[in-house]
Amino acid sequence: MPETTSAPLPVICLAGPTGSGKTAAALAMAAALDGEVVNADSRQVYVDFPLITAQPSPEERASCPHHLYGFLPTENKISAGRWAETAVDKVRDILARGKTPLLVGGTGLYFQALLRGMAEIPPVDPQLTAALTTRVDAQGAPALHAELAQADPAYAAKIHPNDRQRIIRALEVCQSTGRPFTWWHSNAMSTPLCVGPLLTLDASLAWLEPRLARRLDLMLAGGALDEARAAMRCCADPAAPGWSGIGCAEALAHLQGRLSLEDCRSLWLRNTRAYAKRQLTWFRARPEAQWLPPDDPDAVVDAACRFWQNARSSYNF
RNA sequence: GGAGGGGUUCCCGAGUGGCCAAAGGGAACAGACUGUAAAUCUGUCGUCGUAAGACUUCGGUGGUUCAAAUCCACCCCCCUCCA
């Protein structure tokens, strides 16, 4: 079991809903603090979808070093825990070079994994996961939820009988470790891997809407459909992890003639908006989030500098 | 002009006399979230009210009935086919 005993590394985190201007603000911070950007977005890791997942453009990436963008093949899965381990390695390197690590992305759980740590649960045999998944499909989630109520009553009470994903995870942990899922939560938490502010761009949906529409049109004009077509040649399984990004399925549906371009666009936009809303819900529930205006890179730079100056003296690196 | 089909709550769409403020889905709003998180899942969803409940809805008007989204008449609009 990987044991992280070293002190948490100082970082600056920049979060916010999709389309809120994180990339621009990140570049401003990088310039002001001699920083390097580390991706904290679960979809921007995929090589085959640079445009659809709105990864920073080559020009943007050229202005300072960027890490963990577009490195994973579509058929591969990454987890919050694995991402966090890789990200800390990057952070360590960046600090060693005397640069400022800037974690930028929209995946709330990833920030949590980094800033709060995760339960150190031994890896689960994928066969077990697969078996449980088959059973959920056959018997329905509530049946397995009932089983979970035996194995881990506390956790079962916390989640809904229909929440298949969480039921499977909890059950696989109980079965493979012989301890309740919640036992790990309360007895095996890792220490935080990093410390730093969670700067969060406060973009309302009303503010976001026209921007998301414009961004989507740019993606479409920039070859998003071609990107999906090409991705299909690399990985033809639409159920593969990389295909779960918003826009991927919509683009594919149009390419396969199941959706007109117009319907593809409006569905894509709607799903993007819904996603932004979910992100907002997540970040709103974080007491540590420091909310900043979405269209004001200077404010972000200010907040970042303030933290970083303190960090320099107190962490003494 | 003739024959047929249809107009339902923001949208799609069930509902053919009472159990209907009206199935289901979508959207919207709110929320949960510890290794798939751009995922997974929940609640609300005509109006007023904490609630009990009251009130207003199913193209329009009028009627039948104890009771109508559902039956009848006329009218308006849409679609298909024949001329």
Side-chain angles (χ1 to χ4, degrees):
Chain A
M1 202 180 310
E3 204 62 44
T4 319
T5 44
S6 49
L9 306 170
V11 295
I12 288 163
C13 297
L14 178 61
T18 186
S20 57
K22 296 187 289 293
T23 299
L27 295 182
M29 284 196 293
L33 286 162
D34 194 16
E36 299 191 12
V37 177
V38 180
N39 171 233
D41 189 295
S42 74
R43 297 301 113 175
Q44 295 186 343
V45 298
Y46 288 105
V47 228
D48 295 327
F49 299 101
L51 228 137
I52 293 180
T53 63
Q55 296 173 32
S57 68
E59 299 77 57
E60 288 167 327
R61 289 202 219 185
S63 76
C64 77
H66 279 64
H67 307 275
L68 265 35
Y69 286 95
F71 67 94
L72 200 67
T74 302
E75 59 271 16
N76 287 13
K77 191 161 78 174
I78 187 161
S79 67
R82 265 228 341 267
W83 171 83
E85 285 163 24
T86 335
V88 202
D89 288 343
K90 295 291 178 194
V91 168
R92 201 173 288 117
D93 288 353
I94 294 168
L95 289 170
R97 283 197 298 275
K99 305 287 202 74
T100 310
L102 308 169
L103 281 289
V104 180
T107 305
L109 183 63
Y110 283 16
F111 287 111
Q112 181 170 308
L114 208 64
L115 263 19
R116 275 211 227 156
M118 292 193 105
E120 298 188 326
I121 301 172
V124 173
D125 181 1
Q127 305 255 310
L128 178 54
T129 315
L132 285 167
T133 306
T134 311
R135 289 193 52 210
V136 173
D137 290 341
Q139 305 172 20
L144 295 236
H145 184 265
E147 255 170 61
L148 181 61
Q150 301 295 309
D152 188 344
Y155 193 67
K158 263 176 64 174
I159 62 174
H160 190 95
N162 286 152
D163 198 340
R164 23 178 305 137
Q165 196 166 283
R166 273 182 254 275
I167 292 168
I168 291 171
R169 161 101 270 240
L171 230 33
E172 71 182 16
V173 170
C174 295
Q175 290 180 11
S176 85
T177 67
R179 301 199 122 108
F181 193 39
T182 42
W183 181 90
W184 293 96
H185 295 341
S186 42
N187 298 289
M189 286 302 286
S190 73
T191 54
L193 302 168
C194 295
V195 251
L198 181 62
L199 308 179
T200 309
L201 299 183
D202 191 6
S204 70
L205 288 170
W207 186 90
L208 243 22
E209 265 159 20
R211 277 159 241 258
L212 292 176
R214 200 179 319 131
R215 187 180 72 174
L216 177 53
D217 288 334
L218 287 173
M219 279 183 191
L220 256 9
L225 294 172
D226 294 332
E227 184 171 287
R229 206 190 324 261
M232 207 52 198
R233 284 194 288 270
C234 296
C235 174
D237 175 16
W243 274 105
S244 69
I246 288 160
C248 298
E250 293 85 343
L252 193 60
H254 175 246
L255 292 175
Q256 295 177 161
R258 284 179 286 124
L259 220 53
S260 72
L261 182 59
E262 191 39 45
D263 290 347
C264 163
R265 197 196 95 103
S266 58
L267 182 63
W268 185 334
L269 187 58
R270 235 202 281 141
N271 289 339
T272 308
R273 198 198 106 106
Y275 169 52
K277 186 170 159 51
R278 256 177 284 139
Q279 288 176 298
L280 252 10
T281 300
W282 172 281
F283 291 122
R284 267 198 295 253
R286 309 294 113 197
E288 71 271 33
Q290 282 180 42
W291 295 92
L292 295 164
D295 44 2
D296 187 358
D298 290 345
V300 176
V301 169
D302 275 5
C305 288
R306 239 175 293 132
F307 169 80
W308 203 246
Q309 256 135 44
N310 269 308
R312 266 187 193 295
S313 40
S314 45
Y315 293 93
N316 158 49
F317 57 92

